[in-house]
């Protein structure tokens, strides 16, 4: 039985590793079904790994790294080093989470791919201002509805 079904929250390391699996899979344009097939799993198992609901064994993580063409260490990038005795850089970890959440959405991934192709900094700034204004408006509408 997974920790999630017992009402406990997934381990933060499992969440991080799963998020990195999802991000890399999406960057390569691989579906959960395709990854599952290459690993001899069901797509539901891949979903559970990506959500952090189930832990990925060392051997399975090795297979995932090979399939997604990254070193195993890729899945731990952004985690605090357990040997230095600190919790790491909280601001850096928060930034990593924001980027990860952004890149796990289809729209975020596409935007990340095409945004750098906008050659002029002024135009990129206008796009950012537009998105910021839209987000602020959505937040105001949500607050008014609550």
């Amino acid at each position: 039985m997974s920790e999630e079904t017992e009402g406990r929250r997934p381990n933060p390391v499992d969440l991080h590793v799963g998020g990195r699996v999802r991000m890399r899979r999406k960057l390569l344009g691989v579906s959960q079904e395709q990854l599952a097939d290459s690993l001899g799993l069901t797509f539901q198992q891949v979903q559970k790994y990506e959500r952090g609901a189930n832990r990925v064994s060392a051997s399975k993580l090795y297979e995932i790294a090979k399939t997604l063409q990254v070193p195993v260490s890729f899945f731990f990038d952004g985690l605090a080093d357990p040997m230095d005795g600190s919790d790491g850089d909280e601001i850096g970890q928060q930034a990593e989470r924001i980027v990860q959440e952004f890149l796990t959405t289809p729209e975020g991934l596409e935007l990340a791919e095409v945004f750098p192709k906008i050659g002029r900094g002024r135009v990129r700034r206008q796009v950012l201002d537009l998105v910021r204004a839209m987000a602020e408006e959505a937040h105001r509408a949500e607050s008014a509805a609550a």
Side-chain angles (χ1 to χ4, degrees):
M1 191 174 285
S2 76
E3 290 182 4
E4 192 172 76
T5 58
E6 295 177 9
R8 286 182 264 164
R9 301 180 90 157
N11 182 291
V13 174
D14 297 331
L15 287 170
H16 182 86
V17 169
R20 299 285 289 178
V21 169
R22 179 179 172 91
M23 179 176 65
R24 180 63 180 170
R25 177 182 60 75
K26 286 184 162 276
L27 282 170
L28 293 176
V30 175
S31 71
Q32 287 179 330
E33 293 84 4
Q34 291 169 321
L35 180 58
D37 287 345
S38 69
L39 298 170
L41 301 171
T42 64
F43 82 91
Q44 291 95 336
Q45 185 64 46
V46 171
Q47 284 179 330
K48 289 179 182 182
Y49 286 159
E50 289 184 358
R51 285 195 331 259
N54 285 2
R55 290 187 174 146
V56 182
S57 70
S59 58
K60 194 56 71 179
L61 190 61
Y62 182 84
E63 289 180 50
I64 292 169
K66 186 175 174 183
T67 301
L68 298 179
Q69 304 164 3
V70 291
V72 173
S73 62
F74 169 85
F75 301 110
F76 299 96
D77 287 348
L79 284 176
D81 186 343
M83 297 306 293
D84 71 9
S86 72
D87 290 335
D89 176 16
E90 285 187 37
I91 294 171
Q93 290 175 353
Q94 182 180 3
E96 174 75 22
R97 279 192 297 275
I98 290 168
V99 169
Q100 209 168 14
E101 288 174 17
F102 177 71
L103 291 175
T104 58
T105 65
E107 300 83 6
L109 185 58
E110 184 175 359
L111 188 57
E113 289 174 3
V114 299
F115 189 80
K117 294 177 183 175
I118 301 172
R120 296 178 52 209
R122 182 169 179 259
V123 175
R124 285 194 308 269
R125 173 58 61 183
Q126 289 173 332
V127 170
L128 178 60
D129 290 343
L130 173 64
V131 172
R132 187 178 293 124
M134 293 170 68
E136 289 172 5
E137 180 59 33
H139 179 70
R140 278 195 294 273
E142 287 175 6
S143 296

